[in-house]
Amino acid sequence: MEGPATLSKCSVETLDKLFAALEGLSEQEIERVAAFAGELKQAESRGATTEDQEKAELVNNLKCHTVVKIAPSRVCPGVGVEAIVPLPAGIDPFKKSNAHLGDMGKVLCLRESEISGLNPSQVEYIKSFFAALTEDGEYEPSRDEETGEIEYGILASGANAMDVSWYMNHGGEAEANMAFVEAQSGGEFCSYVTKREIAAGEELLFNYKELGRMFYETLPEEVRAAP
């Protein structure tokens, strides 16, 4: 084991971030992280290129985090998101690889008037995916302080950048097996976490009410009327 001289190179802040990242991981997941860190260290000692390191991270991500897919939905017409391996409770099944290579979910706020000039079918499509902003824990949409307009949080990289998580369907209180996690700071997007263990082949569902009234009301009335 390396001694205090090595530990002194790490700031308290770095260690805090490390402990926060590991918190909630299963023993198996921590072992995978440690193994991956070892692979990166070996790559560095061999004088590996940045591309080699990116490939190592990609392979690790494909092995450990390729856990869901888009599939025909069992709860509504069209597609949804399905687990392809058993998922434990308390994990984010949508983790990405090589975050340094590009935008991983930066959000820009657009007022109603800023999207109203689009084709009506484009506006309908955008509102079906990007929810009106709400204050933490609130159901009603928040409004721009100056204009009073409703604002929408939209991916800075555009609608074509949506990942698998955007295709999750609605489930009521009893059916929802995913929970919505608020962004930690402004300009970041939300994430999701499994509420319980999810079996392979089971569809991932979250309650659209968690994203506020306006997003919930994009659902057909008969779906909202269901218990």
Side-chain angles (χ1 to χ4, degrees):
M1 179 180 293
E2 296 177 334
T6 301
L7 288 177
S8 65
K9 298 176 184 177
C10 298
S11 68
V12 173
E13 181 181 2
T14 300
L15 290 173
D16 285 342
K17 288 181 179 179
L18 175 61
F19 292 142
L22 294 177
E23 187 176 6
L25 294 182
S26 67
E27 184 175 341
Q28 185 179 27
E29 288 173 319
I30 292 175
E31 288 176 356
R32 287 174 177 171
V33 171
F36 175 57
E39 291 173 8
L40 284 182
K41 190 171 183 179
Q42 289 177 9
E44 284 185 5
S45 66
R46 295 194 304 268
T49 65
T50 299
E51 184 175 340
D52 290 331
Q53 295 175 9
E54 290 169 353
K55 284 182 178 180
E57 181 170 344
L58 175 59
V59 170
N60 180 73
N61 181 272
L62 293 173
K63 181 194 299 183
C64 301
H65 301 299
T66 304
V67 295
V68 296
K69 67 178 182 179
I70 295 176
S73 174
R74 294 175 173 80
V75 300
C76 65
V79 300
V81 180
E82 178 183 294
I84 59 177
V85 296
L87 304 178
I91 69 160
D92 176 0
F94 305 111
K95 289 183 178 178
K96 298 178 178 65
S97 176
N98 287 307
H100 65 285
L101 292 179
D103 173 61
M104 301 300 285
K106 180 179 179 179
V107 172
L108 297 177
C109 298
L110 295 184
R111 298 188 297 272
E112 185 85 41
S113 61
E114 292 176 300
I115 62 173
S116 61
L118 304 179
N119 181 291
S121 61
Q122 293 174 320
V123 174
E124 180 183 7
Y125 175 69
I126 288 169
K127 289 184 177 180
S128 72
F129 278 100
F130 300 102
L133 298 179
T134 61
E135 298 296 334
D136 290 351
E138 294 294 325
Y139 187 54
E140 293 297 324
S142 56
R143 295 179 179 271
D144 180 80
E145 293 181 359
E146 295 182 1
T147 66
E149 293 180 81
I150 291 171
E151 295 181 298
Y152 295 84
I154 300 179
L155 284 174
S157 45
N160 292 334
M162 294 185 291
D163 63 25
V164 178
S165 68
W166 293 85
Y167 293 89
M168 279 194 295
N169 287 313
H170 167 73
E173 292 293 338
E175 296 83 18
N177 51 23
M178 298 292 297
F180 173 75
V181 180
E182 291 280 359
Q184 296 301 304
S185 60
E188 294 182 356
F189 212 78
C190 62
S191 58
Y192 301 91
V193 65
T194 51
K195 294 174 65 175
R196 58 168 175 77
E197 292 183 359
I198 298 175
E202 186 176 351
E203 184 167 353
L204 277 60
L205 304 170
F206 82 99
N207 193 329
Y208 281 19
K209 281 186 176 180
E210 294 188 53
L211 296 184
R213 176 180 61 80
M214 293 190 66
F215 191 75
Y216 179 62
E217 290 180 354
T218 63
L219 290 169
E221 187 174 350
E222 61 269 21
V223 175
R224 287 182 275 131

